[in-house]
Amino acid sequence: MTNPNWEVVIGLETHAQLSTQSKIFSGAPTAFGAEPNSQASLVDLALPGVLPVLNRGAVERAIRFGLSVGATVNRRSIFARKNYFYPDLPKGYQISQYEIPVVSGGGITIEVGGVEKYVRLTRAHLEEDAGKSLHEDFHGMSGIDLNRAGTPLLEIVSEPDMRSSAEAVAYAKKLHELVQWIGICDGNMQEGSFRCDANVSVRRRGTETFGTRCEIKNLNSFRFLEQAIEYEVERQIELIEGGGRVVQETRLFDPDRVETRTMRSKEDAQDYRYFPDPDLLPLVIDDAWIARVGSEMPALPEVQRSRLVEVHGLSVQDAQALTASRATVDYFEAMLAALPGEAKLCANWLMGELSARLNREQIDLARAPIDAPQLAALLRRITDGTLSGKMAKDVFDAMWNGDGTADAVIAARGLAQISDAGAIAAIVDEVIAANPKSVEEFRAGKDKAFNALVGQVMKASKGKANPQQVTDLLRARLG
Amino acid sequence: MSVDGSTDLARASVAALAKVLAAKEVSAVELATLFLDRIDAHRDLNVFLDVRPDVTLAQAREADRRRAAGETGPLLGVPLAHKDIFVTRDWASTAASRMLKGYMSPFDATVVEQLAAAGMVCLGKVNCDEFAMGSSNENSAYGPVLNPWDKGAVPGGSSGGSSAAVAARIAPVATATDTGGSIREPAAFTGITGTKPTYGRPSRWGMIAFASSLDTAGLMTVSAEDAAIVLSAMMGFDPRDSTSVDRPPEDCTRDLERPVKGLRIGVPKEFFGPGLSPDVEQSVRAALDVYRGLGAELVEISLPNAALGIPVYYVVAPAECSSNLSRFDGVRYGHRASKYRDLEDMISRSRAEGLGPEPKRRILIGTYVLSHGYYDAYYLKAQQVRRLIADEFRRAFETCDIIAGPVTSTVAFGFGEKAADPVSMYLADLYTVPGSLAGIPSMSIPCGFGDKGRPVGLQLMADYFQEARMLGAAHQYQLATDWHRRVPAGF
Amino acid sequence: MAKLARIRISDDEASRTLAQLNDIFAMIEQMRAVDTEGIEPMNHPLGGSQRLRDDVVTEHDRREAAMRNAPEHQDGLFLVPRVIE
Ligand SMILES: [Mg+2]
Ligand SMILES: [Zn+2]
């Protein structure tokens, strides 16, 4: 894939839809999939006389993002109007941030082929989404649905620091993981909650200046991102090597044909006539707010991973698996809080029995019928000897099916392991008395005979006797 | 005051109407009927754009019911008219534009809500310049309003319908809006009291936006006392308007009885330059003499940058309006062209057909000053000079309590006199625009008559949030004079 | 500008408008001579900062009201001439 003569330069602009309840400038809901225009408030419809009021939840999420990437959260930022006409843009302008965004700088570390790289961020700014045009046939017309208009977005702009499609994908994945981790975006790419624009250019290796770039809009899957960049890189190189010139333009990716095509060229590039929105005052964020948001933030994945390894003694693989999502690690932490010192057991059950079950039934961890304290309560009955591992799995099944807590299931089914030394001794004595032949053989050195005796004890106890105790007692009696 | 003296009732102030309503000498329904009849009788003035007597009478009945239930309040049952810039559920909201012909708003403007909550009875919506852009009311898509003093003269603009309504006593109060002088200039041209409070005090929610950083709701009234009473009901903080000032509501009548003795009145020398016509100057100077006679101290002040107000204004206001009016694209509401080639052509034709020449002109100016390569030279520069002008006022208010001067350089001009020359029309706002750019409270009170017997206004300006003091100074003048009681012949 | 502002203007109108705009810009020109070095632009008459709204849903379905003023609509959608991307 890498071309020895050419260097690829990529920068990404990512739109992350912020997971607020209401829109950025109105009190309309943001839920996906409602009836057309049923979630467009007077403000979203841009009726005459309406005015925007900024949603604190959107700002708070922007602060969270800024803190998570080591950026500057600007104490004062400005909302600007980006003016252009489009039927799904009800006001004829988008409220965005231009000269002074809410977040400046920062960066993200990615890893490609075992090599770490720091990708710098230019900025992240708050803005509103537009509606959408539906092109099904309305007698040759298009239908406009403004439900999405006014949905809060954080546009995250990277520096042109990436040098391959692999790096771009690694960056996008890392960002995708991060925004979900810090709880600012649901990351649902099918629903458009996380989408990327890629700025791609090529230059001959050793050249200082950047080549002319093209912007590929609205890539809503990692695969499309990769394919679009690779196609575009090849197109630009072929163009230049063939004696042509790359023209600065906006391009669209066609996933069916796996190619990019011109959307609009620089000549008819819009003049957006940005200016500070006179309906909105400067956004001021004080230190106390930033400090509070910081104190409420979850530890970042890297930090969590190293803590799992160093403090809880888990393997790197386990730590990796447990930090696949915030929900997983939160579940794990909650289990561990209820069952201190049993990190390995908790990890095994979470990644084993529970994950398998969730997978099989296509259920999110958040909707698992057994919560972390309940699962921990089950595992406690293993550690205290009440249940064997096998019995615990049966109890787990019952709990999954809604039969109640671990203790309730154990009591209801009389499943408790017999660990009472006196009760076990009585059974052992009975078995010894009833099987003189086996006792004889054991004393003659046949280990098999010992196992047969254990089996008899287990059978007599209907499988509930604690196997370890049975073994120990038998040895003591026969020894 | 008596019920049978209907002319007296029509000429009564809000304060006087409150008394007869409280004494149950007249009902809200009777008052509403009286004014609806007057509206009908004076249709030739072209003041009202939408009248719906059934809705008005229902509101009046409700006011009477509230009073019968024991409610009191100085505005309960008092009729008013709303400028057609405020959106209303029950009357069409058009901004005097063809673009919004017949548009029914699903909500009421905050000011409309507040005054209705106080029990005021709406008579209907009044004419204005299209989207509040103009100084003569000639820019209405529904024809100009005539000046009740002289039907050959403009009533001023953009709130010309509001000023003519009150001048002709076909409404005792009318709401209005002021962006660069749109309350004060028409008030001066029609011999009534026009009050623009501090920017951000009345809510802009439900005001069809022209220039968001300048638009201010205000009032046309017969007197300063009336303005103080009604304004008190429309100054509360509104969480729906991000630029609404979060201050507790205020009783604007509190300084009405305060004598002006010792009041320092700043007289900007730049407002008395060669552009000021002698008839206006004479009335304004006479008014200043009245104040001197009442014990006020006149202080000469200088506002050297005020003259830059017009160029600054004609960058800032068009810039904001070019963007504010982009929503009128024929997609969701408003006029849509019947014939078009494609989407872009549909939008361009709908706007071309729906918008009149003045909004178009300002949209073009605004589009230009915001466009790439011109932004710094025009828009940014204008915002910087705007601060110079505002700072100048701040300094002036260190040496005086109130600023007084002319509202306009001439009395009301005739129809067509300036319509062909936008620049001369724009200069009509020379003395009012600086206060708008600063955002300070300001008002016009009648102070005499000039050429052709047309009214002259005296402008009073005060520092931010000092509207009560300003209204008090105006009221003291009106106690000493009777210009505000003059009514044009035939009304 | 007319294209950028999406206003269709006839040639006749355009030349008349251009003359007027030239006059207006000549008037605006006065302002450009002022020294504004270091002056902070004034975007709002009053200072202050943006007030924030709590993240709660306060608005509900207004589709019917919206469609009442719509020039053309179907199935709760605003109809426009086909949008080409
Ligand atoms: Mg972008
Ligand atoms: Zn964006």
Side-chain angles (χ1 to χ4, degrees), chain A residues 15 94 125 127 155:
Chain A
H15 286 90
Q94 177 197 31
H125 65 253
E127 62 183 23
E155 181 175 338

Side-chain angles (χ1 to χ4, degrees), chain A residues 20-24 26-29 36-38 41 45 53-56 85-87 134-135 137-138 140-145 273 276 278 280-282 284 289, chain C residues 4-6 40 43-44 46-63 66-67 72 74-85:
Chain A
T20 53
Q21 295 300 305
S22 64
K23 292 187 177 173
I24 183 166
S26 84
N37 289 310
S38 63
S41 71
L45 290 162
V53 183
L54 183 58
N55 182 341
R56 175 180 290 111
F85 285 90
Y86 206 72
L134 303 169
H135 310 296
D137 206 353
F138 297 97
M141 302 186 86
S142 294
I144 305 294
D145 175 9
R273 291 159 285 137
L280 294 163
L281 294 160
V284 172
W289 193 8
Chain C
L4 202 51
R6 293 288 190 282
E40 165 114 17
N43 296 321
H44 290 98
L46 306 161
S49 59
Q50 176 58 31
R51 194 177 52 253
L52 302 173
R53 180 176 62 75
D54 285 340
D55 179 23
V56 285
V57 172
T58 53
E59 296 288 331
H60 299 284
D61 191 353
R62 300 302 288 267
R63 182 159 86 169
M67 292 303 146
E72 272 185 87
Q74 188 189 318
D75 306 336
L77 294 154
F78 299 104
L79 293 190
V80 295
R82 188 175 279 284
V83 176
I84 306 147
E85 287 193 80

Side-chain angles (χ1 to χ4, degrees), chain B residues 74 201 225-236 247-256 465-469 471-472:
Chain B
R201 287 208 89 175
E225 182 186 21
D226 283 3
I229 296 169
V230 184
L231 203 55
S232 301
M234 55 184 265
M235 294 244 283
R247 286 168 75 104
E250 171 176 326
D251 177 10
C252 296
T253 65
R254 64 162 193 265
D255 282 339
L256 290 180
F465 309 115
Q466 299 301 309
E467 34 278 283
R469 189 81 191 89
L471 288 160

Side-chain angles (χ1 to χ4, degrees), chain A residues 235 305 421 475:
Chain A
R235 186 188 71 88
R305 277 195 277 275
R475 276 194 202 284

Side-chain angles (χ1 to χ4, degrees), chain A residues 21-94:
Chain A
Q21 295 300 305
S22 64
K23 292 187 177 173
I24 183 166
F25 296 117
S26 84
T30 52
F32 181 82
E35 285 289 293
N37 289 310
S38 63
Q39 298 196 350
S41 71
L42 308 176
V43 172
D44 307 318
L45 290 162
L47 296 191
V50 299
L51 296 167
V53 183
L54 183 58
N55 182 341
R56 175 180 290 111
V59 179
E60 182 142 342
R61 282 167 179 76
I63 298 173
R64 243 184 265 169
F65 178 76
L67 294 177
S68 74
V69 294
T72 303
V73 175
N74 290 312
R75 300 309 193 261
R76 185 174 175 276
S77 62
I78 305 289
F79 282 93
R81 292 184 182 180
K82 179 180 183 180
N83 293 283
Y84 64 97
F85 285 90
Y86 206 72
D88 66 14
L89 185 71
K91 296 185 293 295
Y93 57 84
Q94 177 197 31

Side-chain angles (χ1 to χ4, degrees), chain A residues 227-239:
Chain A
Q227 289 174 337
I229 291 172
E230 285 181 6
Y231 175 87
E232 184 59 21
V233 165
E234 228 168 285
R235 186 188 71 88
Q236 291 185 13
I237 292 173
E238 268 175 34
L239 192 63

Side-chain angles (χ1 to χ4, degrees), chain B residues 99-114:
Chain B
M99 179 57 86
L100 287 175
K101 191 174 199 309
Y103 173 77
M104 293 306 289
S105 171
F107 70 103
D108 282 333
T110 297
V111 165
V112 171
E113 253 176 19
Q114 287 167 327

